[in-house]
Amino acid sequence: MKSNVILNSFIGFSLVYISFIFFENENIAWFLKPFLLPFLLLAVYFQERFSTKKILLTALTLSWVGDIILMFADKGELYFIAGLIAFLLSHISYIILFSKQLKIYLKKSKIIFWVGVTAIAFYLIVIMLILLPSLGDLKIPVFVYALTISIMLLFALKGFLNWQKPANSYILIGAIVFVASDSLLAFDKFYAPLQYSSLLIMATYLLAQYLIVIGILKLNKKK
């Protein structure tokens, strides 16, 4: 019950935060940003114990650290790189989390799996071809990051074919939206400025984190 109240509070607070961005009150939104993910952290913390709880808390904490560091990205490239590292570690934590939740792979879903693998590989190739000319010294770090989020999405896809409904859909959609959010950020920073970039990036990011958390909690709900 306590977790549900906190999750609903996260939705409300996120909508307030997004509203400030939409109405171009960026300064207020900047101060509110550090208080977003703690709602999800508390919701998971107060949930009954389950096998991957600590890993989920680790992933969320690293994302929260990344959020705070990226608030100062305009101060210098080192802040952006440090934020990138924090989110890289967060995605690695999500990969570990999804792999720990996996059961026996369903052979009857091989076609869906390989279609998904092809789509993910296509995404990775296209995004790197678009960004490479403008990455400069960040070619390797950005490629490693793009590869990591692609692997995270791959594990979410494998989970989708194994986990029960509707948790599997929440997690897969969350992973897809997370990749979309990171792609928007990369496109806006390295390729061409996007209109409403802050709104789009943060709205998709918050939705992604929420969906993954909801999915994992449903997957581990005590019967």
Side-chain angles (χ1 to χ4, degrees), residues 122-142:
F122 180 76
Y123 154 79
L124 180 61
I125 292 168
V126 169
I127 195 71
M128 289 311 301
L129 286 176
I130 292 173
L131 296 178
L132 272 176
S134 54
L135 288 177
D137 295 335
L138 293 175
K139 285 185 176 67
I140 294 177
V142 172

Side-chain angles (χ1 to χ4, degrees), residues 6 18 29 64 76 101 105 121 146 163-164 173 196 209 218 221:
I6 298 172
I18 293 298
W64 182 49
Q101 293 282 173
Y105 178 63
W163 300 325
Q164 70 261 28
I173 295 170
Y196 307 117
Q209 294 280 24
K218 285 184 178 295
K221 190 174 182 180

